[in-house]
Amino acid sequence: MDDSSDGGATAGGTKKKPSAAAAKGKATGKGKATSKAAPKAKESSLLKQKSPAEFFAENKNIAGFDNPGKSLYTTMRELVENALDSAESISELPDIEITIEEITKSKFNTMIGLVDRERVDEALYDDFESSKAREKRLAKEARFQETQAKNAALGKKVKDTPAARGKGRGEASFFRVTCKDNGRGMPHEDIPNMFGRVLSGTKYGLRQTRGKFGLGAKMALIWSKMSTGLPIDIKSSMKGQDYITFCRLDIDIHKNVPHIHLHEKRENNDHWHGAEIQVIIEGNWTTHRSRILHYMRQMAVITPYAQFLFRFLSDAAEKNLTIKFTRRTDVMPPVPLLTKHHPSAVDLLLIKRLITDTTKPNLLQFLQHEFVNISKAHADRLIGEMGPDFSAKTTVNSLTSQQLVRIHQLFRQAKFDDPSGNCLSPAGEYNLRLGIIKELHPDLVATHASSPQVFEGHPFIVEAGVSIGGKDVKQGLNIFRFANRIPLLFEQGADVITRTALKRINWSIYKINQQQDKIGVFVSIVSTKIPFKGTGKEYIGDDITEIADAVKSALKQCCIQLKSKIVKKLQAREQQDRKRNLNKYIPDVARTIMETLGELADESPPKRPRFDKEDEELLEKINSEEVTEMTFRDCLTQHVEQVDYEMALEYAMQSGVSEEPREAIYLNSLEGSYKFVDFQSPAFVFRFIP
């Protein structure tokens, strides 16, 4: 008999008392099955969820927080763009102060109450250098110096001493970033959720917005929590509010909820309105200094109606920096309008959401009021095309999944009028031109704005400017890209604007030298949906034909304007060269004429008269020295000046100038509040103050 048949027999044939666990298994009828099922139960318990805050904390590069330097830049720009949106939402001319204060490691440790500790075990640190490694490095440096001395003795080129590269990653640098504005402010009770809850905000909806993800200062707070562990400070007061809200908070990453340290109301004796946000983060000013300043300069170009005060503060006085970008105009673009979806731009999921949110009871009213460019007659035709299962009175809540698919398919195939660009808020040619002149001081500038165009059911407008010459402008193409009135600084090579300027514009036919001239290329694209590429949303793809064609057309229009100006300028220069050459030869011509006439005057009078009476009088004056070589010089100079004046007058008439050249002057904005009406055109804005 098999010993194992009993299950309780031992090798000696005696039965082993079953354990309590085994007995329990037999009693329940599970036995070994229970032990096999246990791993499955454990496996199913591994299912976890992440909050939005946790997701963005782990994938911070999506929002532009790739490294400390980029994080400092992104934090600054997020705060600036929020400040601009806040001021523009109440039609207030933006007045924004940005301060980046460098905080040393010892100062940071003092702030958080951490006592500095000297190193005990040097070999433990990443930048430790052993005696053998030090000897090897010094020997290498000595050989390099010896080689350099020999090269110098032979007259060869001497290389610079290579900078010593430490092995360590270096100490972290910390910065206090503060942004203060004069905008709308925030309601007292909403501030914790506006800053401490990811994917909650006021900008969601179909409209032209500066934001990319709707994260704003929330991502700066997440980065602050990751790099310093410190909370964010917010001061805010709404217009007409007699108190200032002060809130200090951080975020619970795993729960995606705000953790409030302090939330109170304070006196507002100065009647200030706006917001002041302060956050301390790890950063790198050295690597991204130029990017930050370049961003501020480009922002000053696209928003000449805003005033920016930028400060960088450090314990080292030589590193301190203060730049003021002054306001040039008080004409602001209109506030972007919230619009409805175009039928050709919706997907099945969006249709379901619109049906859930709509207040319209039947299908006819739903089509009319939830989409643009669907009139009552058009909606009736669409419903008739959907089939017998649909009618104008069909309730939207009763639509089945199959019926929703039918609506979606019809939207993709049917013909609809293009959406208008009335909901968009471009900078305007007037502001773009003023911004370019204010920041670059070019010799020539031309601007052009396209009419509203459409891609995938979304309207867009392209504004372009091209300048020649200017201050702090390098030779060649200097490309400035804007999307929804914010500068794009990274990933320029693959951008549609860069590729169009480099490959699709033949600059030479417009009398522009692409290699030698200082060319500024400015292109601003505004839309309810900017087709960014990549997770960083830093460039617009070159694969959308409508946008590529619009950018090319706008730049060409600018170049055509510049060509006429350049041609006239070249003609004027040629005229000056011609005058200079004529003046150079006047002495030789006058001397030759005088010598020829002198020889004629010395000849004996012929029997038959050879000259007219006037010529004889001239010869007599030469004999009497009444006419000299200087007389001819003066006459020729006067003639050249007269011809030059007539040609200059003709050039001025062609250029539209009817008087003498005048210097441009700019009037400051009037103080106080006035009722006025603006009449805008691409070239100017006329303000009528009754």
Side-chain angles (χ1 to χ4, degrees):
M1 186 178 70
D2 187 1
D3 290 340
S4 63
S5 60
D6 190 357
T10 62
T14 60
K15 289 187 178 180
K16 183 179 179 182
K17 186 177 179 180
S19 65
K24 187 177 180 181
K26 281 186 177 182
T28 57
K30 292 180 182 178
K32 294 183 179 180
T34 302
S35 61
K36 291 182 179 179
K40 293 185 179 179
K42 186 178 180 182
E43 195 174 300
S44 63
S45 67
L46 294 176
L47 183 64
K48 294 182 179 180
Q49 289 182 338
K50 286 185 180 178
S51 72
E54 191 174 3
F55 171 81
F56 282 106
E58 294 178 0
N59 300 276
K60 57 186 182 297
N61 60 300
I62 294 177
F65 287 75
D66 305 55
N67 51 65
K70 184 81 177 289
S71 299
L72 178 64
Y73 161 79
T74 305
T75 298
M76 183 273 306
R77 68 172 289 179
E78 289 285 2
L79 297 182
V80 168
E81 289 161 16
N82 285 349
L84 283 171
D85 285 335
S86 179
E88 291 173 3
S89 67
I90 57 173
S91 300
E92 188 87 17
L93 290 170
D95 198 343
I96 300 172
E97 298 179 13
I98 310 102
T99 304
I100 299 177
E101 181 185 353
E102 187 176 27
I103 300 175
T104 60
K105 180 185 175 183
S106 59
K107 188 175 180 181
F108 174 77
N109 288 346
T110 302
M111 288 173 55
I112 63 175
L114 180 65
V115 179
D116 286 336
R117 177 180 172 84
E118 294 184 0
R119 294 183 179 183
V120 178
D121 186 356
E122 287 286 349
L124 181 65
Y125 293 89
D126 196 28
D127 57 356
F128 172 74
E129 186 180 35
S130 64
S131 57
K132 186 176 181 181
R134 184 172 180 272
E135 290 176 3
K136 187 176 180 181
R137 176 176 58 81
L138 292 175
K140 184 178 179 180
E141 291 177 0
R143 288 195 300 272
F144 178 81
Q145 294 293 341
E146 185 180 350
T147 304
Q148 293 297 87
K150 291 180 180 179
N151 290 339
L154 297 173
K156 295 182 180 179
K157 186 177 180 180
V158 178
K159 298 180 181 179
D160 295 332
T161 304
R165 296 183 179 179
K167 182 184 176 184
R169 292 181 295 272
E171 292 186 353
S173 299
F174 303 99
F175 299 87
R176 179 187 285 113
V177 183
T178 307
C179 183
K180 184 177 181 180
D181 64 64
N182 60 336
R184 179 188 295 274
M186 294 165 282
H188 175 83
E189 60 278 0
D190 290 345
I191 290 178
N193 281 331
M194 293 180 74
F195 286 87
R197 193 185 299 272
V198 174
L199 299 184
S200 66
T202 60
K203 295 184 181 179
Y204 298 115
L206 189 62
R207 74 168 77 202
Q208 172 193 325
T209 58
R210 282 193 173 95
K212 298 185 297 183
F213 290 101
L215 291 173
K218 303 182 190 75
M219 195 63 215
L221 175 55
I222 291 175
W223 173 246
S224 172
K225 189 172 179 66
M226 295 175 67
S227 59
T228 67
L230 295 176
I232 190 171
D233 288 351
I234 305 112
K235 293 180 183 177
S236 175
S237 180
M238 302 187 73
K239 210 166 188 178
Q241 208 166 256
D242 59 355
Y243 64 88
I244 295 175
T245 297
F246 178 81
C247 186
R248 176 175 293 142
L249 60 87
D250 61 22
I251 186 171
D252 187 322
I253 299 292
H254 302 291
K255 295 181 181 179
N256 190 33
V257 294
H259 178 211
I260 302 172
H261 298 262
L262 183 63
H263 192 195
E264 63 182 13
K265 296 180 180 179
R266 299 176 178 178
E267 292 185 0
N268 187 12
N269 298 324
D270 298 331
H271 306 288
W272 167 73
H273 65 86
E276 181 178 342
I277 301 169
Q278 186 177 104
V279 60
I280 298 176
I281 59 172
E282 181 184 350
N284 191 325
W285 169 256
T286 305
T287 58
H288 278 69
R289 176 184 185 274
S290 60
R291 294 279 190 180
I292 291 173
L293 298 181
H294 197 40
Y295 171 85
M296 292 304 305
R297 189 187 189 195
Q298 290 199 33
M299 187 58 85
V301 168
I302 203 67
T303 55
Y305 53 86
Q307 182 163 286
F308 300 97
L309 178 61
F310 177 85
R311 287 188 292 254
F312 177 79
L313 304 178
S314 173
D315 291 342
E318 66 275 7
K319 294 173 65 176
N320 289 349
L321 178 67
T322 300
I323 303 177
K324 187 174 184 179
F325 300 90
T326 56
R327 181 180 293 115
R328 176 62 182 272
T329 176
D330 57 1
V331 178
M332 296 176 62
V335 178
L337 301 177
L338 187 66
T339 187
K340 298 174 184 177
H341 294 274
H342 192 269
S344 62
V346 297
D347 54 35
L348 190 58
L349 189 63
L350 182 55
I351 294 174
K352 291 180 180 180
R353 183 170 67 80
L354 292 175
I355 287 177
T356 303
D357 297 341
T358 188
T359 58
K360 304 303 175 184
N362 57 57
L363 183 57
L364 178 65
Q365 293 179 343
F366 172 73
L367 295 178
Q368 278 185 259
H369 296 282
E370 297 296 339
F371 300 95
V372 294
N373 295 356
I374 298 183
S375 63
K376 184 177 182 300
H378 198 181
D380 283 329
R381 293 176 61 192
L382 289 170
I383 293 172
E385 188 66 22
M386 291 176 189
D389 295 337
F390 296 85
S391 70
K393 295 183 179 180
T394 301
T395 57
V396 291
N397 292 329
S398 67
L399 293 172
T400 64
S401 299
Q402 292 80 5
Q403 288 176 314
L404 294 180
V405 172
R406 174 61 182 146
I407 294 174
H408 180 227
Q409 290 176 349
L410 183 60
F411 278 177
R412 296 185 64 177
Q413 297 170 0
K415 181 172 66 176
F416 299 94
D417 292 338
D418 289 337
S420 67
N422 296 336
C423 61
L424 301 179
S425 176
E429 274 192 79
Y430 176 76
N431 280 337
L432 181 59
R433 180 184 292 267
L434 282 183
I436 295 171
I437 294 172
K438 177 172 74 81
E439 293 301 321
L440 271 70
H441 305 283
D443 302 324
L444 296 172
V445 63
T447 56
H448 176 77
S450 72
S451 57
Q453 300 181 55
V454 179
F455 79 96
E456 297 180 356
H458 294 277
F460 72 94
I461 293 176
V462 174
E463 295 175 306
V466 178
S467 65
I468 305 295
K471 182 180 69 174
D472 299 331
V473 182
K474 299 178 181 178
Q475 286 186 332
L477 293 178
N478 298 265
I479 299 173
F480 300 80
R481 303 172 294 133
F482 305 92
N484 281 349
R485 294 196 274 123
I486 62 170
L488 303 177
L489 269 64
F490 293 89
E491 302 182 46
Q492 180 170 313
D495 190 89
V496 62
I497 298 169
T498 304
R499 292 196 173 187
T500 300
L502 291 174
K503 298 181 179 180
R504 302 188 183 107
I505 303 295
N506 187 354
W507 298 94
S508 60
I509 67 174
Y510 302 106
K511 309 296 182 182
I512 300 173
N513 190 320
Q514 184 177 345
Q515 305 300 327
Q516 297 182 1
D517 289 338
K518 297 179 179 180
I519 309 167
V521 178
F522 305 82
V523 178
S524 172
I525 302 174
V526 295
S527 176
T528 52
K529 179 184 178 183
I530 298 292
F532 289 113
K533 296 290 185 181
T535 56
K537 294 194 174 184
E538 286 287 351
Y539 75 100
I540 301 171
D542 195 30
D543 56 342
I544 300 176
T545 306
E546 296 90 341
I547 292 181
D549 291 344
V551 170
K552 180 180 178 181
S553 175
L555 288 178
K556 278 190 171 183
Q557 289 298 322
C558 294
C559 291
I560 290 171
Q561 296 177 41
L562 286 178
K563 182 180 180 181
S564 62
K565 297 178 182 179
I566 293 171
V567 167
K568 291 174 182 177
K569 204 171 182 180
L570 290 175
Q571 289 175 346
R573 188 181 302 165
E574 290 173 0
Q575 177 185 331
Q576 290 295 325
D577 293 340
R578 187 162 50 248
K579 176 184 175 182
R580 193 180 303 109
N581 290 333
L582 288 173
N583 286 331
K584 182 171 66 175
Y585 291 113
I586 281 177
D588 295 334
V589 173
R591 183 169 55 255
T592 302
I593 293 174
M594 187 64 190
E595 290 175 355
T596 303
L597 293 177
E599 292 176 359
L600 293 174
D602 291 340
E603 292 181 358
S604 56
K607 297 179 180 179
R608 295 175 60 186
R610 295 171 53 191
F611 308 105
D612 295 335
K613 186 176 181 180
E614 293 180 357
D615 295 338
E616 290 180 354
E617 291 176 358
L618 177 61
L619 293 175
E620 289 176 2
K621 289 180 180 180
I622 290 175
N623 278 332
S624 62
E625 296 185 353
E626 186 177 345
V627 174
T628 62
E629 182 179 332
M630 289 303 300
T631 307
F632 287 112
R633 285 193 183 187
D634 293 340
C635 289
L636 289 171
T637 302
Q638 184 178 358
H639 179 71
V640 170
E641 292 291 342
Q642 179 64 27
V643 171
D644 179 65
Y645 175 77
E646 291 175 355
M647 294 180 70
L649 185 61
E650 181 181 359
Y651 169 75
M653 293 297 290
Q654 292 175 355
S655 304
V657 181
S658 57
E659 302 176 13
E660 294 181 357
R662 294 175 292 180
E663 183 179 354
I665 61 172
Y666 306 98
L667 301 178
N668 292 327
S669 303
L670 296 172
E671 297 295 334
S673 59
Y674 298 89
K675 293 183 178 180
F676 53 81
V677 179
D678 284 345
F679 300 92
Q680 300 192 26
S681 82
F684 68 92
V685 173
F686 176 77
R687 173 162 292 174
F688 174 69
I689 304 177

